Amino acid sequence: MANAGGGASAPLATLWGEVNKAGQNGDFTRALKSLNKILQVAKDDVTALHCKVVCLIQNGNFKEALNVIHSNIKVLTSDVIAFEKAYCEYRLNRIETALKTIEGASQKSEKLKELHGQVLYRLERYSDCLSVYRDIIRNSQDDYDEERKTNLSAVLAAMSIWEKKTPEDFGIQESTYELCYNSACTLIGQGHLRKGMTKLREAEELCRQSISEDADLTEEDIEAELAIIHGQMAYIMQLQGKTDDALQLYNQIIKLKPTDVGLMAVVANNIITVNKDQNVFDSKKKVKLTNAEGVEHKLCKKQLQAIEFNKALLSMYTNQADQCRKISASLQSQDPEHLLPVLIQAAQLCREKQHAKAVEMLQEFADQHPDNAAQIKLTMAQLKLAQGNVTKACMILKSIKELEQTPGMVSALVTMHSYDEDIDSAIEVFSNAISWYQENQPISPLHLSLVREAANFKLKHGRKKDAISDLEQLWKQNPKDIHTLAQLISAYSLVDAEKAKILSKHLPSSDTMKLKVDVDALENSTGATFIRKKAAKVAGEQAKEQGQTDIKKKKKKKKKGKLPKNYDPKVTPDPERWLPMRERSYYRGKKKGKKKDQIGKGTQGATSAAAAELDASKTASSPPTSPRPGLVAPGGSSSSSSNVIPPRHQKPVGAAGTKKKQQQKKKKGGKSGW
């Protein structure tokens, strides 16, 4: 036994030596081989198992490391392997499980506390995370103090951006570009955009200085490293309304193709928000970047939610109604009290002309979530206005009691009632608001402003009697206001003339109201011109000049209209002569199938006997033609020898120039020659 034992111990020592050497050289694959040989001899060796887990973690085999821990749970207790187990779960994005492992450890080492802070940050429990890092910084003194301060500043930035909290100042020196960048994010969260941009430029300069020490990096590598800073700069430009500059910077980042999928997703999402309902094909390309693998582990919940909202809106803009409803329903199930999913679904229904269904959906949501009812009812009122139902919109707005007295609500209701010509209801809105301010904020600027607007509204619509009380209140607050006093006197003049006279005594005298104006300077100014009127003339001179002008004026001679050559004053003109021939009442169309007489085909001047017999103009009973056959004028005689037209001057009935070629008839049953 002794010999056997001595023989076994020698190989183990050699194997442990190989493990130690491989570990120092960073060759963890070779160390694993040696450890597996050790575990074949001593399978329950805690040190060997622990070292194997560490080597697997160093090689990135987190699942296999967890399998080793779970397979040897009796040997590798939580006290021994708590950090490695929690770290594997953290790297596998099992954040909740990692937190349970850390909290279940009996003793927390420094590295376990560090991991605890990272886990709390990923879970977006920023207040707890801040407490952990504050405790670590106070109780540790090593070379990692700068990294801890960087993590602490990242927590402060997250609290400022996502929780809208103003963090306390820890006096962290911004010695690195990471610290400077986190400080800029904190300023952005507080709304200090200009200061944030200045801080980002400082971070860019610090980053360039630190990178320039590495000679192997190209300009593209440097730009890729600066991409996160440039992305935040573009975000500030977008918030400031400089969308073109922001879009240019976003596209530059996309072209660089940085390895950070979270950064690519955020930039792509922001481009979609800039495009809105325009350039939807570009937006559809950018959406693919937001679906990259691992994005959900790189961004916080609000960022992922914003991306999903934009996907739903893009689906609506591209007429993908089912996809829009699917995404909106998923978002609503995740956060039932959120407004945006319901508003997107209502907008989609409106695009489909289902306004009534949209209003019904919004009303149902308002009943279930009274805290958000005000914003929902404002949307419902907007939909009613889009339908032209102003009265119903007013009813919805009046039901929002928490906004009833606000100037914006009063203005909207008065405008809508005025549109409906319901002046009494508009005055009632003013009265209710003024009464509320009289009780809660008397003589405040808003109160006096509403009284002023109410008085002007009543005067504008001829309600001078109703405006008296408002004007008196305003005048008492400011007795030197001459304009209000004049309005008050004008209103009293219809009700109580004596009171108006008494008030008129308070008006300043005309001497004090004279304006010192330089008339010559006013006339010579470019803004005003003065036209001097001519002196009035004596009545006699005016009559004499009038007579002379009458003589000078000559009547314009009207030109006689030209008559046709064959005009006969004895014949009544055809009343339909201005209409085309086809539109005249007596038009019967062309007779087809009959041969026309060959008139005018013979020698010059020759006429055939048949043509002479058929010529109706040569019969004694037929009237002359001018310009078409018509009735003989009363008192007119029949045609005489003086009206006979020589043959040379006659126009043939069927002149060759007016003939149209007869259409060739197609042969029955045969195809055309084409």
Side-chain angles (χ1 to χ4, degrees), residues 417-481:
H417 282 311
S418 301
Y419 178 83
D420 275 347
E421 298 182 357
D422 189 358
I423 307 304
D424 293 331
S425 297
I427 292 174
E428 184 182 356
V429 170
F430 270 123
S431 300
N432 293 337
I434 291 170
S435 299
W436 187 90
Y437 277 98
Q438 187 70 39
E439 294 178 3
N440 298 279
Q441 300 178 20
I443 321 300
S444 66
L446 279 176
H447 178 212
L448 296 177
S449 177
L450 281 172
V451 174
R452 167 69 67 187
E453 292 299 326
N456 291 336
F457 182 83
K458 293 171 185 177
L459 291 172
K460 179 181 177 181
H461 292 86
R463 305 291 182 90
K464 292 188 176 182
K465 294 181 181 179
D466 299 335
I468 289 175
S469 60
D470 297 330
L471 292 170
E472 282 185 337
Q473 185 176 356
L474 290 171
W475 188 54
K476 287 179 181 178
Q477 293 298 323
N478 187 8
K480 295 181 180 180
D481 189 353

Side-chain angles (χ1 to χ4, degrees), residues 309-323:
F309 284 140
N310 289 327
K311 286 181 184 177
L313 288 171
L314 184 61
S315 300
M316 182 180 72
Y317 291 143
T318 52
N319 297 319
Q320 295 175 300
D322 294 337
Q323 181 73 5

